[in-house]
Amino acid sequence: FGEYILENILPKGSAILRVSYDGAYVGILIFLALSTYAIVRHGLFDIKLAAVRSAAYLLSIATLSAIYYAAAYVVSITLFRGEMTSAISLSPVNIFLALILAFVFQPIKQFFDKMTNDIFYRDSYKNDEFFAELSQLLASTTNLRGLLERVSKQLMATFKSEQVFFFLYYSGSNDHYMSAGTERHAKMPMYDARLLDEYVSTSKYRVILTDLISDNPTIHKMLQSHRIGLVLPLRQGKKIAGYVLMGDHLTSYYTKRDLSVLVTVSNELIIAIQNAVSLHEVTELNATLQQRIDVATKE
């Protein structure tokens, strides 16, 4: 439309308007470039998912086209003695072939969806299965350390993390803590935990990704030194009860779906862990009382 105005309506010497029109082109290109960067940088659009789904649809369409032309060719050979044009143009045959394609489209699409998922999403998991397995695991044991180790292994296997471990406060004080997780997990000293407490208390995010921390270089460097790629704070009201600390993703990166799943299970984790912590504290108290009784008996 702009070209039509420039060529047919405006005078030939309207150079200023032409420059403005060309500048609009440049502005649009800059806007598209910045928008694309923002989408990719902040994960506003899953390009990989769009590419995989597009490939699945293209393969489905190509397969349906091949089935259609193969069926039309067979019909032309058997019924119309090779007259391909007349075979395809007959409306009853077209309706019959369209019905066949309508019935086979969904199975073909499901096949290519599964095939592309197996190729591009080998690390995928089903939310319902993960929730069911985690709930069963949380209800199967009340031993605190054993619970933390088993949950860590479950999280590491599901989210393809390099390591997973818990850092928990107990005994109603931030002076007592327990750290447990997968084999050879990092050890976070109390000093670093204090730094993380201060940062999390002012952060608006429910899940913290190390790579996206730009407002606190100290925290970013500290988490990297422990090979931590993701932090899930465990809160009881406004109080921080501890953390789930996960290493870098082994194959790609943590997605928005991963973060959403972790936020969903955080409350269930807190309840199960708190019950195990309470039992652990009672066990420690009983052991301490028994020691005092033994000492008093000897005296």
Side-chain angles (χ1 to χ4, degrees), residues 52-85:
V52 171
R53 287 292 172 260
S54 299
Y57 274 108
L58 289 176
L59 291 171
S60 301
I61 292 172
T63 304
L64 292 174
S65 300
I67 293 174
Y68 175 82
Y69 281 105
Y73 179 76
V74 172
V75 170
S76 67
I77 293 297
T78 56
L79 299 180
F80 301 98
R81 298 178 182 179
E83 296 180 2
M84 187 72 172
T85 304

Side-chain angles (χ1 to χ4, degrees), residues 226-286:
H226 297 304
R227 310 189 322 275
I228 298 171
L230 182 149
V231 178
L232 174 65
L234 301 175
R235 301 176 185 270
Q236 289 181 301
K238 295 183 179 180
K239 182 181 177 182
I240 298 175
Y243 303 97
V244 180
L245 304 159
M246 304 173 64
D248 294 328
H249 201 285
L250 290 175
T251 58
S252 56
Y253 55 88
Y254 295 109
T255 63
K256 283 190 173 182
R257 178 196 176 200
D258 296 336
L259 306 187
S260 177
V261 169
L262 288 171
V263 170
T264 302
V265 302
S266 61
N267 290 333
E268 189 175 1
L269 282 175
I270 291 172
I271 294 173
I273 291 172
Q274 186 57 41
N275 291 335
V277 167
S278 299
L279 182 61
H280 180 76
E281 291 174 350
V282 171
T283 303
E284 283 193 340
L285 178 61
N286 289 337

Side-chain angles (χ1 to χ4, degrees), residues 196-208 213 215 233 235:
L196 187 58
D197 290 343
E198 295 178 2
Y199 179 75
V200 170
S201 62
T202 59
S203 176
K204 61 180 180 180
Y205 298 106
R206 299 186 65 180
V207 182
I208 299 171
I213 296 177
D215 56 341
R235 301 176 185 270

Side-chain angles (χ1 to χ4, degrees), residues 141-175:
T141 180
T142 55
N143 177 267
L144 181 57
R145 185 171 295 276
L147 177 66
L148 298 182
E149 291 176 350
R150 294 179 64 182
V151 172
S152 296
K153 291 179 181 178
Q154 176 77 16
L155 295 177
M156 184 177 71
T158 301
F159 296 100
K160 302 299 182 292
S161 302
E162 179 188 5
Q163 62 169 343
V164 178
F165 66 99
F166 285 79
F167 185 95
L168 294 179
Y169 298 112
Y170 70 97
S171 297
S173 171
N174 286 0
D175 296 329

